Amino acid sequence: MYWGMGAYGRKKKLTAPQSVTVTESNESDDATTSTWENNTLTMQYWFKHLQDIFNYPKIDYIYFRENAPEFDIDDINEIFGNTTKVTIQDTGCYVFNQMILQKYFPVEKLSIRTSIFSNSKTPESILVQSFHELHIGDVLRRTSMTLDELLLINSKGIRIQVRQMPKTLLNNFIKMWQQGSNPHMEYLYFFYSGAEENDEEIFMEGIQHEIIPDNRRRMFKSVGLTDPYPSVFRYDKIEQINFWEKSSDFDADDIKEVFEKTTAVGIEETGCFVFNQLILQKFSPIEQLTIVTEDFQDSKIPPSLLMQNYTRLTIASDMDVSIVTLDELLLINSKVITDIEMPASQLNKFLKLWQRGSNPHMEHLDIEAVHNFTKSGEEFIMKGIRHEVIPENRIRKFKSVGLMRPYSISGGVDIHRIDGVKATIQFSIYAFGDQIYAFGDRNSKSCGANKNPIKHIDMVKRSKYDEFFDKKGEIASCKLCQKSYTCNSITGTNSLRSHLSAAHPDQLKKLHDIDAETKQKKKAEEEKQSRSSVIPFPVVGKVSVKVPQKPVEHLENGMKWNNDGKMTKRLDDAIISMICRDNMPLRTVEREGFKHLMNVCNPKYTLKSRNWYTSKALPELKNKLEAKIKEELQYMKFMAVTADGWTSKTFEPKFAVLAAKPLKGKHTAVNMKKLVDETLAYFNIDTEKVVAMTRDGAANMKTLCDSMLVESVHCINHVLQLCIEDSVYKDPTVTSLLEKLKKITRKVRKSNVCREKFKEIVDENQLPDRILIRETVVRWSSLHAMINSFLILKTAVNILTVTEPNLKLPQVSEEEWAQMEIIHRVLDPVALQMKAFQSRFYAPASMIISSIRLLVRKLETQIKILDSEDDEEELKIITSFLEKLKLRTDSYQENDFMKTMTFLDPRTKDTFFHAPHRDRIIQKLRNEYQTVLNKEDSENEIMEPNQSDFDLFVYDKKKKNQKKKTDTIEDEVDKFLDAEQDSRIDPYKWWKNNEKLYPNLKPLALKYLCVPATSAESERLFSAAGIICCPKRSKLKNETLEMLTFNHCNLMVYGLDF
């Protein structure tokens, strides 16, 4: 096509061509040329017209040569769209060449010359692209190529035409390829000048190779090459090969060489176990497999075979027995499973395990369930399984990758898995003699035979978009308008949502309804978990940090800001706050990227040095936070240390970190007391305000509390962890199992090869994207977390340990998996309780007694159930744990301090005591806390600062005329006990709203409800310090580490603009 020149130097547009020439050629090189001259039709029209005539939806290639830069590249791209191949020759403009590459990327094939780049070197960003074919150089203008550049190329087809080439270059490249370089390459074409007769010997020197005779012809193909030969019938592989009796008379290698690839393999009654193994090895991997159990030794199918990712697996048998056990069925990893038998009782267990997450890859299951019961097999199979019966007149269509065609099901039974996947079960009965076969006919009736076949299970896709889009690979096509979009882990699903919003708003509303339903189910599940614990599940902290957007003031002139100016000071404070809040290194201010960012945001601001932020800004921030804490501490009546929490007169719990100091010398109680006393004195905290200290079980911590003359509360989570160690860890079988799990976890987490293989298996089986969790004895609930991760990823662990013998990972037997499930069930309520106890404000120590009582009742109920079921192993573990729990928590039940805390909590009161304690509490109030009440009266006379004389006079007058009216202690306590109890209320809000009703109990509640149940806050402080003091920051001074930790933790509480 030819266009006229552009006017006044403007880029020419592809509007109406002056002439159009079409050349039609055939394989004999005969060509017919036709030319039309008509400048009234637009380019857009001509291009669409030729596409329709020749049925060409996409251009094969576009050449850019000299004079091409005269045209508008955006206009070219808009009219011609995408193309398969782009060729760029000497256009004469480097910028235009770059624009071509930007507009047409990604492209399948690229042909370039190095001269099109400014330095005559092909950029590495081009070489590493995954082209089908990359062509560099041509006959007239050949290029140069180094070994490093050649190793960078990631294309399937490579064509290089060079002027000169060192004879060792290709030799070195072939050796590197033998070691694993260029894994994407399928063919390489090298053309160079100055060839000599002995070049082949030089190229192959030191390389093991085989010379093929000239009379032996072989055919090759590659994605990057064009097949020049027309094919009448094109079969890349045979659909199926069946092996029957006498097949073992033939050579397996010869069969493989002749038939090569196949989609499906069937092995039935060959009569030779060894031959069957050879066939499986030769034709693996395959999509579909049909086998007979009698084709294997002892009629047992190897687990390594069951774990393969077949599209379809068919298992048959000539024997009238159950041929698949529950353990074998759980190992099967195929999408479609057919023609298997199993007892109805085992099938019932399988359905329950599937609901808990087993066999995540399965999309269809056809199975015969054998039963010998008088009641119908359908009822027996569904016993204890929550399900929904679908009416017979409701017909639904299902499809699966492993099935020939979609099929319909009338009615059926729906069940749901824990992750929301739905399965539809269809019971079908067909009688022939004493046998019943599953044909999927819902209208057939039971004839009283002894076999009840079941079922078709079809998995609904996980993605919520599958209802609106058909996905093949990474391409998702709209079911309504057939428009296609790329959808993968990189692009995400935003394009799919945008399409629904623009083209199908009614479907988008339906998608929103699905989202709302999913969130509602998740919320309901969380509420269900919350109800199973005495303590609800709030977030860990109540403090939310909001950073308001403040306008930045700019000066009128272009000069730098003064270092002492107001805006400079604000930015200095913001930078050091960001460093502390986000645990960033102080050297951030020296990094080029951060300097560039600050210069772009505000060129008038001068960034200070790292030393200035360390020596001046960091201590200033610490001083401000300390002043803030001291200000709040002035009005605090009581507080609890170690967990760093206290309450105020208004019953609003607050939290702050007072210090994170290094302890020099031995960690004795004397040294720790000295450090604690210094900290309390620095913040002007009277030791009488310290109600209690929540501690771990170390002897030095207990001695510290005794020396400070404060009550000590043993962290309940430490106690529960010790109970787990005394019971579960003491079992030798459990110990050996845990060592095996730790070894697998260690290998998967530390070895890159093992981790990548594990990740591939997880992705292939559509398992949750998680990693195995490590167990640490000193970390709360870590044993439960590790076992939970193994149970969720059971399929991936089994496949990895069986199929990767080189990793030398121990295999986990089915008995060990069963043992893990037992431990998981035992520790489930304990882990739930430990998680609840870590709440910052909802789990004071007043909840310890009630939680222990509820946990004991749960375990005792479970023991009664296990006694009736004769489950000795689980009964042994749970009984041992219960004994240790009672032994270690008896002290809580008899401790007056703990009882007083429990009594004052409006959620518990005296409900969980072994006997009523009302009279004892009243006597304790009378004798012990009259001083507290008198002291409160005197403190109430102290006016807030900055009061006027007028306010003081009015206050004194009102106090003289006011008559104190309070109920007796007995009436007040009775009124408190009669008030409604609810485990979900906030105890602090309750007391704030009701403090006037209970004036005598109020000061006691202020005092006792500030004590936390665990030392979780100390553990969080250790974690924060551990993140800051990493190996790369090993030279941090103690003072700097203390300031960074202190500032970080308190900025989390008070916010960046405190």
Side-chain angles (χ1 to χ4, degrees):
M1 297 184 182
Y2 173 76
W3 290 269
M5 297 295 293
Y8 305 107
R10 292 194 300 267
K11 294 288 184 180
K12 290 185 284 189
K13 298 285 185 178
L14 303 183
T15 53
Q18 296 179 0
S19 63
V20 176
T21 300
V22 177
T23 301
E24 181 183 1
S25 61
N26 53 33
E27 294 178 2
S28 60
D29 292 335
D30 295 332
T32 302
T33 302
S34 301
T35 302
W36 290 271
E37 294 185 0
N38 188 336
N39 58 3
T40 61
L41 301 178
T42 64
M43 182 61 217
Q44 193 81 28
Y45 174 86
W46 272 111
F47 182 59
K48 183 69 171 64
H49 177 67
L50 294 174
Q51 277 187 309
D52 293 341
I53 292 176
F54 295 102
N55 191 24
Y56 246 76
K58 186 177 181 181
I59 297 177
D60 282 338
Y61 50 85
I62 298 180
Y63 280 89
F64 292 92
R65 298 177 178 173
E66 64 272 10
N67 299 327
E70 296 178 4
F71 293 89
D72 189 334
I73 187 63
D74 292 319
D75 195 41
I76 297 173
N77 181 252
E78 181 179 355
I79 290 178
F80 293 111
N82 294 330
T83 179
T84 303
K85 181 177 180 180
V86 170
T87 298
I88 307 176
Q89 296 188 355
D90 292 329
T91 64
C93 181
Y94 299 137
V95 176
F96 184 75
N97 299 336
Q98 291 292 337
M99 293 174 65
I100 296 170
L101 294 171
Q102 292 173 7
K103 292 294 179 183
Y104 283 95
F105 260 50
V107 68
E108 293 182 11
K109 301 179 181 181
L110 179 66
S111 178
I112 54 176
R113 295 174 176 174
T114 54
S115 59
I116 71 171
F117 302 104
S118 57
N119 58 356
S120 296
K121 288 285 187 182
T122 307
E124 293 181 357
S125 58
I126 298 292
L127 298 174
V128 299
Q129 298 296 321
S130 298
F131 300 113
H132 284 180
E133 181 182 74
L134 176 62
H135 186 177
I136 302 177
D138 56 33
V139 177
L140 298 177
R141 296 194 180 186
R142 296 171 190 157
T143 184
S144 60
M145 178 66 61
T146 66
L147 177 61
D148 289 341
E149 289 174 328
L150 192 57
L151 292 172
L152 277 177
I153 297 178
N154 199 32
S155 302
K156 294 184 177 180
I158 306 172
R159 289 178 177 267
I160 307 293
Q161 293 179 279
V162 297
R163 291 189 302 272
Q164 295 178 347
M165 180 184 70
K167 298 299 174 67
T168 57
L169 185 144
L170 196 55
N171 177 268
N172 291 333
F173 174 74
I174 295 174
K175 292 178 180 177
M176 296 292 289
W177 176 84
Q178 285 184 316
Q179 296 180 31
S181 74
N182 301 70
H184 218 195
M185 184 178 70
E186 294 182 1
Y187 79 90
L188 172 64
Y189 174 88
F190 233 101
F191 185 93
Y192 65 99
S193 304
E196 299 178 0
E197 291 184 3
N198 65 339
D199 281 358
E200 183 175 343
E201 297 178 3
I202 297 175
F203 292 152
M204 303 307 296
E205 183 180 356
I207 299 173
Q208 284 190 346
H209 60 279
E210 178 185 359
I211 299 176
I212 308 301
D214 290 338
N215 59 359
R216 182 178 174 187
R217 297 180 62 83
R218 293 177 292 176
M219 297 290 290
F220 297 90
K221 66 176 181 178
S222 170
V223 176
L225 295 174
T226 303
D227 188 0
Y229 306 105
S231 299
V232 179
F233 300 103
R234 178 63 180 265
Y235 281 98
D236 292 332
K237 56 185 176 183
I238 298 172
E239 290 297 327
Q240 182 165 349
I241 300 178
N242 290 324
F243 295 90
W244 303 84
E245 52 186 337
K246 297 185 179 181
S247 295
S248 56
D249 294 344
F250 294 88
D251 188 336
D253 291 319
D254 193 39
I255 297 172
K256 172 64 177 176
E257 184 176 353
V258 172
F259 294 107
E260 293 187 353
K261 296 181 180 179
T262 180
T263 302
V265 168
I267 306 175
E268 300 182 36
E269 302 178 13
T270 62
C272 181
F273 298 141
V274 177
F275 180 78
N276 298 337
Q277 292 292 338
L278 283 172
I279 293 299
L280 292 172
Q281 292 173 9
K282 296 294 181 184
F283 286 94
S284 183
I286 51 176
E287 295 180 14
Q288 301 183 24
L289 177 65
T290 300
I291 53 177
V292 176
T293 54
E294 286 77 13
D295 285 330
F296 300 94
Q297 201 88 30
D298 301 326
S299 296
K300 288 288 184 181
I301 303 173
S304 58
L305 195 61
L306 298 173
M307 291 179 185
Q308 299 299 318
N309 292 327
Y310 300 116
T311 303
R312 181 181 184 125
L313 176 63
T314 302
I315 303 175
S317 175
D318 293 333
M319 302 173 65
D320 190 16
V321 295
S322 174
I323 62 171
V324 175
T325 65
L326 177 60
D327 289 341
E328 289 173 334
L329 182 55
L330 291 173
L331 280 177
I332 295 178
N333 202 30
S334 302
K335 293 186 176 180
V336 175
I337 310 167
T338 63
D339 295 349
I340 62 176
E341 293 182 15
M342 155 180 293
S345 59
Q346 295 291 300
L347 182 55
N348 175 267
K349 290 183 179 179
F350 171 74
L351 294 178
K352 292 177 180 177
L353 290 171
W354 178 86
Q355 287 185 313
R356 294 172 60 180
S358 73
N359 300 70
H361 217 195
M362 183 178 70
E363 295 181 0
H364 178 92
L365 172 63
D366 194 341
I367 184 171
E368 290 190 9
V370 184
H371 71 96
N372 297 310
F373 300 92
T374 55
K375 58 182 179 180
S376 70
E378 181 174 342
E379 293 179 3
F380 180 76
I381 290 169
M382 301 306 297
K383 181 181 179 182
I385 299 173
R386 183 176 295 180
H387 61 279
E388 177 187 0
V389 178
I390 307 302
E392 293 288 338
N393 57 1
R394 182 179 173 187
I395 300 175
R396 293 176 293 175
K397 290 187 175 181
F398 297 89
K399 66 178 180 179
S400 171
V401 177
L403 298 176
M404 296 296 293
R405 61 183 64 86
Y407 60 94
S408 301
I409 289 182
S410 301
V413 175
D414 285 356
I415 61 174
H416 288 81
R417 198 163 62 191
I418 192 171
D419 58 359
V421 175
K422 181 177 71 176
T424 296
I425 304 175
Q426 184 184 34
F427 292 88
S428 307
I429 301 175
Y430 178 79
F432 182 78
D434 59 350
Q435 298 290 326
I436 300 178
Y437 302 95
F439 288 131
D441 182 6
R442 179 65 182 173
N443 297 322
S444 57
K445 304 298 181 181
S446 173
C447 299
N450 64 346
K451 287 190 178 180
N452 206 9
I454 174 181
K455 65 176 185 170
H456 303 291
I457 292 186
D458 297 272
M459 306 302 174
V460 178
K461 297 293 183 183
R462 295 185 180 193
S463 175
K464 59 189 176 184
Y465 290 95
D466 288 340
E467 186 172 344
F468 314 101
F469 294 87
D470 287 325
K471 190 174 180 183
K472 294 182 179 180
E474 296 186 354
I475 303 299
S477 303
C478 178
K479 293 182 179 180
L480 297 177
C481 62
Q482 308 306 317
K483 194 166 183 179
S484 299
Y485 296 90
T486 301
C487 180
N488 53 36
S489 59
I490 299 176
T491 61
T493 58
N494 286 337
S495 57
L496 307 186
R497 181 181 285 271
S498 300
H499 173 71
L500 293 178
S501 176
H504 315 293
D506 54 332
Q507 298 299 313
L508 181 64
K509 183 179 182 303
K510 189 174 180 181
L511 180 65
H512 288 161
D513 293 340
I514 293 174
D515 286 342
E517 183 181 356
T518 303
K519 290 178 181 178
Q520 189 64 28
K521 288 182 178 179
K522 184 177 180 181
K523 184 178 179 182
E525 182 63 26
E526 290 177 351
E527 289 178 354
K528 181 180 177 182
Q529 285 189 353
S530 177
R531 288 193 298 271
S532 66
S533 172
V534 67
I535 305 174
F537 275 17
V539 292
V540 171
K542 282 186 174 181
V543 181
S544 60
V545 180
K546 296 182 179 179
V547 184
Q549 299 295 324
K550 298 184 178 180
V552 179
E553 303 169 7
H554 292 279
L555 300 181
E556 295 296 333
N557 54 45
M559 298 179 61
K560 290 280 187 178
W561 282 344
N562 191 314
N563 282 341
D564 298 327
K566 180 180 178 182
M567 289 304 301
T568 300
K569 181 62 176 172
R570 284 181 59 186
L571 284 176
D572 290 339
D573 293 344
I575 289 172
I576 192 62
S577 296
M578 175 195 70
I579 288 174
C580 294
R581 170 63 178 78
D582 296 338
N583 279 337
M584 300 172 68
L586 286 162
R587 64 175 179 273
T588 299
V589 296
E590 296 179 340
R591 291 177 172 170
E592 292 300 322
F594 184 77
K595 290 180 180 179
H596 174 71
L597 172 66
M598 296 304 298
N599 187 53
V600 171
C601 291
N602 200 323
K604 299 179 182 180
Y605 171 72
T606 302
L607 191 63
K608 307 293 194 305
S609 68
R610 171 183 174 181
N611 182 63
W612 185 89
Y613 283 103
T614 304
S615 60
K616 188 172 181 180
L618 188 62
E620 281 185 1
L621 177 60
K622 182 173 183 286
N623 293 337
K624 287 181 182 179
L625 287 167
E626 288 176 348
K628 177 72 174 177
I629 296 172
K630 288 179 180 179
E631 180 185 351
E632 291 194 345
L633 283 172
Q634 287 180 1
Y635 305 105
M636 298 297 153
K637 288 181 62 66
F638 305 107
M639 61 180 293
V641 296
T642 298
D644 307 305
W646 68 89
T647 59
S648 69
K649 291 183 179 181
T650 55
F651 284 103
E652 292 179 357
K654 295 187 178 181
F655 160 79
V657 172
L658 298 184
K661 293 182 177 291
L663 181 59
K664 299 178 181 179
K666 295 183 178 181
H667 290 198
T668 62
V670 175
N671 290 338
M672 286 192 289
K673 183 178 184 299
K674 182 180 178 182
L675 205 59
V676 172
D677 288 342
E678 290 176 358
T679 302
L680 295 178
Y682 181 81
F683 284 96
N684 302 320
I685 299 173
D686 190 345
T687 53
E688 293 182 359
K689 287 185 177 182
V690 181
V691 179
M693 177 181 291
T694 304
R695 57 172 178 80
D696 59 16
N700 55 354
M701 295 301 299
K702 180 71 168 64
T703 307
L704 171 64
C705 296
D706 294 340
S707 62
M708 291 181 63
L709 302 179
V710 298
E711 292 283 350
S712 67
V713 177
H714 193 172
C715 170
I716 183 61
N717 277 6
H718 277 99
V719 173
L720 293 175
Q721 187 69 21
L722 290 172
C723 293
I724 295 173
E725 293 177 23
D726 292 344
S727 56
V728 179
Y729 286 95
K730 297 297 182 181
D731 190 329
T733 59
V734 174
T735 305
S736 61
L737 171 61
L738 295 184
E739 289 301 321
K740 185 179 292 188
L741 301 184
K742 287 179 183 178
K743 184 175 182 180
I744 296 174
T745 305
R746 205 162 38 241
K747 190 79 171 179
V748 171
R749 294 178 71 95
K750 290 190 174 182
S751 168
N752 290 333
V753 175
C754 188
R755 185 168 60 252
E756 289 173 2
K757 289 184 179 295
F758 188 76
K759 182 70 167 60
E760 289 176 5
I761 295 171
V762 168
D763 292 340
E764 288 174 1
N765 292 274
Q766 300 178 9
L767 295 173
D769 188 12
R770 299 183 184 178
I771 193 68
L772 296 176
I773 297 175
R774 288 179 294 187
E775 184 266 347
T776 307
V777 177
V778 295
R779 185 171 297 166
W780 304 333
S781 297
S782 61
L783 174 60
H784 176 269
M786 180 179 72
I787 291 178
N788 186 59
S789 68
F790 267 85
L791 292 176
I792 291 174
L793 302 173
K794 176 181 178 181
T795 302
V797 172
N798 279 334
I799 294 174
L800 181 70
T801 55
V802 172
T803 60
E804 299 294 338
N806 294 334
L807 297 176
K808 299 180 180 179
L809 292 172
Q811 294 187 21
V812 184
S813 65
E814 284 304 314
E815 292 78 10
E816 289 173 325
W817 283 113
Q819 190 177 28
M820 273 193 276
E821 291 183 355
I822 290 173
I823 298 173
H824 186 268
R825 285 196 297 271
V826 173
L827 296 183
D828 233 1
V830 182
L832 190 67
Q833 211 73 338
M834 294 174 82
K835 179 181 178 182
F837 272 128
Q838 295 179 56
S839 172
R840 176 168 290 166
F841 295 114
Y842 280 88
S846 58
M847 298 301 294
I848 292 179
I849 292 178
S850 58
S851 300
I852 292 173
R853 292 289 302 277
L854 290 176
L855 182 58
V856 168
R857 189 174 72 168
K858 277 186 181 181
L859 297 175
E860 288 176 343
T861 304
Q862 188 65 21
I863 288 174
K864 291 179 182 179
I865 296 173
L866 295 173
D867 273 335
S868 62
E869 295 179 353
D870 294 331
D871 194 335
E872 295 182 0
E873 187 173 357
E874 185 170 355
L875 183 61
K876 174 185 174 183
I877 296 177
I878 198 170
T879 302
S880 175
F881 178 81
L882 181 58
E883 290 176 356
K884 303 302 181 183
L885 178 64
K886 289 181 177 180
L887 182 64
R888 287 189 175 273
T889 58
D890 281 345
S891 58
Y892 290 114
Q893 307 283 350
E894 303 301 328
N895 186 290
D896 282 344
F897 187 80
M898 298 295 299
K899 288 180 180 180
T900 304
M901 286 190 292
T902 307
F903 184 88
L904 291 168
D905 194 317
R907 295 172 293 182
T908 55
K909 302 180 183 177
D910 67 346
T911 306
F912 294 89
F913 295 149
H914 291 296
H917 280 70
R918 172 186 174 277
D919 296 338
R920 187 171 177 182
I921 292 296
I922 291 174
Q923 189 62 38
K924 189 178 183 67
L925 288 172
R926 287 181 181 277
N927 298 338
E928 187 174 347
Y929 296 109
Q930 191 61 43
T931 305
V932 176
L933 297 175
N934 295 336
K935 186 178 179 181
E936 185 191 40
D937 290 338
S938 62
E939 288 182 351
N940 285 337
E941 297 178 1
I942 301 175
M943 292 293 294
E944 295 290 332
N946 302 323
Q947 297 293 319
S948 66
D949 292 340
F950 179 85
D951 293 331
L952 290 171
F953 183 84
V954 172
Y955 177 81
D956 290 338
K957 191 69 175 176
K958 287 179 64 178
K959 185 165 183 62
K960 290 178 182 178
N961 296 333
Q962 186 180 23
K963 185 178 180 181
K964 193 174 183 179
K965 297 180 181 180
T966 58
D967 294 335
T968 63
I969 289 180
E970 290 86 348
D971 293 340
E972 186 175 318
V973 171
D974 289 338
K975 186 193 302 182
F976 173 71
L977 292 175
D978 291 338
E980 183 180 358
Q981 285 180 257
D982 187 350
S983 65
R984 293 168 295 183
I985 64 174
D986 184 333
Y988 305 105
K989 286 184 178 179
W990 188 93
W991 272 108
K992 182 178 180 180
N993 296 333
N994 297 278
E995 58 181 330
K996 293 181 179 179
L997 297 176
Y998 311 103
N1000 296 313
L1001 288 173
K1002 168 194 168 184
L1004 302 185
L1006 279 171
K1007 179 177 182 179
Y1008 283 95
L1009 292 183
C1010 70
V1011 183
T1014 69
S1015 57
E1017 295 301 344
S1018 296
E1019 305 298 334
R1020 295 185 183 110
L1021 180 61
F1022 297 153
S1023 297
I1027 293 172
I1028 296 171
C1029 190
C1030 60
K1032 290 185 178 180
R1033 305 176 73 180
S1034 58
K1035 293 185 178 180
L1036 272 178
K1037 296 180 181 178
N1038 288 338
E1039 296 78 8
T1040 306
L1041 175 60
E1042 178 191 348
M1043 288 187 288
L1044 287 171
T1045 307
F1046 178 88
N1047 292 346
H1048 166 76
C1049 294
N1050 285 301
L1051 284 173
M1052 295 282 287
V1053 177
Y1054 293 107
L1056 295 170
D1057 288 331
F1058 64 94

